[in-house]
Amino acid sequence: MAVLFPLLAVLIWAANTVVSKAAAGVFDPAAISFYRWLVAAVVLTPLLARPLWRRRAELRPHLPHLAVLALLGMVMYQCLAYYAAHSTTATNMGVICALIPLLGLLLNGLVFRQRIAPAAMLGVALSLAGVLYLLGHGHPASLLAGGINRGDALMLIGSASYALYGILYKRWAPPFGQWLNLYGQVLLAVAMLSPLAASADSLAIPAAGIPLVLFAGIASSILAAYFWMRGLQQLGSERTAIFMNLLPLFTALIASLTLGETIHAYHWLGGGLILLGVSLTQGALAPLWRRWRPAAQSA
């Protein structure tokens, strides 16, 4: 079934959010950020090095774009997640990741002046309320006194960088196909992360860290990307994007089972508002909105 492809991709990405949290007690964040993409590069090189080399002349003009994409999507997003995992929960990380489509909508409106539909504006308001409720642990007013948790703030920045990555990827559309585009970005990410890795307190890979690195480098970086691309091919971008709404639910369940994290009422309420808002911005609730709006206007 075609729906299995995006479902498996989101399940792997949810598990990787939990892996990022588990890695906080095992790795220096700079080390695992580097190793993740190094493993992906090692796995992809036998398959894609020759095709990429044959198209090197075509690739050269696109290198600045690929470098920006690698910086936003692979260096900043995932690297910030590893640092965030030291001071927030996997459950919070998963819920904040659900904001990526919403942040993309806002960035499109603010930076590229794209019009935001009324339903999407309602979605923005609902999601913002959910974020404040979640980050305030059920007491949004407490944010005025104590501010936002450092890990949550890093995840917000990382999610915004990934939202911008999605916008720019669509606009630039590097003409090399999904796999060569991915491989080129992976190689650039390894190069960019090398100086950061050199600054790590330790680059040692303990025994407990081997499965974490392999999962992040192979399952999350390659397998999930493959499943997601198959979903895009068979279901289309709009129907596939809806599955990202399952990410916080999967993350919370996996974190509860494997890390013993407690799912509080503010997670359900804040996360629910975020997902409702994201669904409105993505058009998932468009049929309901169209039915409600004429009724409201005629009342």
Side-chain angles (χ1 to χ4, degrees), residues 37 70-80 188-189 192-193:
W37 297 113
L71 177 65
L72 292 171
M74 298 176 178
V75 176
M76 287 187 65
Y77 173 59
Q78 193 57 58
C79 190
L80 287 173
L188 289 166
M192 292 177 188
L193 287 166

Side-chain angles (χ1 to χ4, degrees), residues 17-287:
T17 303
V18 177
V19 165
S20 299
K21 178 62 181 177
V26 179
F27 280 103
D28 185 294
I32 190 170
S33 297
F34 174 74
Y35 285 134
R36 171 186 177 160
W37 297 113
L38 180 63
V39 167
V42 168
V43 173
L44 291 174
T45 291
L47 303 172
L48 298 172
R50 281 188 178 180
L52 191 70
W53 178 253
R54 285 197 295 266
R55 302 187 66 176
R56 63 188 181 279
E58 299 173 60
L59 180 70
R60 198 170 293 115
H62 295 275
L63 275 177
H65 285 172
L66 288 173
V68 172
L69 292 172
L71 177 65
L72 292 171
M74 298 176 178
V75 176
M76 287 187 65
Y77 173 59
Q78 193 57 58
C79 190
L80 287 173
Y82 288 128
Y83 280 95
H86 283 259
S87 51
T88 191
T89 65
T91 301
N92 272 26
M93 291 168 70
V95 173
I96 293 171
C97 283
L99 284 170
I100 290 174
L102 173 74
L103 292 169
L105 178 81
L106 291 174
L107 287 170
N108 250 330
L110 293 172
V111 179
F112 299 104
R113 304 298 181 188
Q114 287 198 2
R115 181 180 174 274
I116 302 177
M121 289 300 296
L122 176 60
V124 169
L126 287 172
S127 290
L128 180 59
V131 169
L132 294 176
Y133 193 83
L134 173 74
L135 298 184
H137 294 183
H139 303 283
S142 66
L143 294 174
L144 296 174
I148 298 176
N149 173 283
R150 179 175 180 270
D152 293 336
L154 290 175
M155 277 307 301
L156 281 170
I157 296 170
S159 296
S161 74
Y162 198 79
L164 183 57
Y165 167 88
I167 294 169
L168 294 178
Y169 190 91
K170 288 179 181 177
R171 285 178 170 269
W172 291 338
F176 307 105
Q178 295 284 3
W179 284 112
L180 285 183
N181 287 337
L182 174 66
Y183 181 52
Q185 291 172 68
V186 166
L187 294 179
L188 289 166
V190 171
M192 292 177 188
L193 287 166
S194 296
L196 181 66
S199 72
D201 292 335
S202 173
L203 287 174
I205 304 178
I210 294 174
L212 302 179
V213 169
L214 292 178
F215 186 90
I218 298 175
S220 182
S221 303
I222 299 174
L223 286 180
Y226 169 76
F227 291 141
W228 192 253
M229 285 188 282
R230 286 294 303 273
L232 289 171
Q233 289 170 354
Q234 297 193 23
L235 297 174
S237 59
E238 290 186 2
R239 291 178 64 193
T240 302
I242 301 299
F243 285 87
M244 283 300 291
N245 292 347
L246 294 171
L247 180 67
L249 174 62
F250 286 165
T251 303
L253 292 175
I254 296 170
S256 178
L257 291 172
T258 60
L259 302 179
E261 290 189 4
T262 302
I263 305 175
H264 299 281
Y266 61 78
H267 285 122
W268 291 113
L269 184 54
L273 285 171
I274 289 171
L275 292 182
L276 179 60
V278 169
S279 295
L280 280 168
T281 64
Q282 290 180 310
L285 301 180

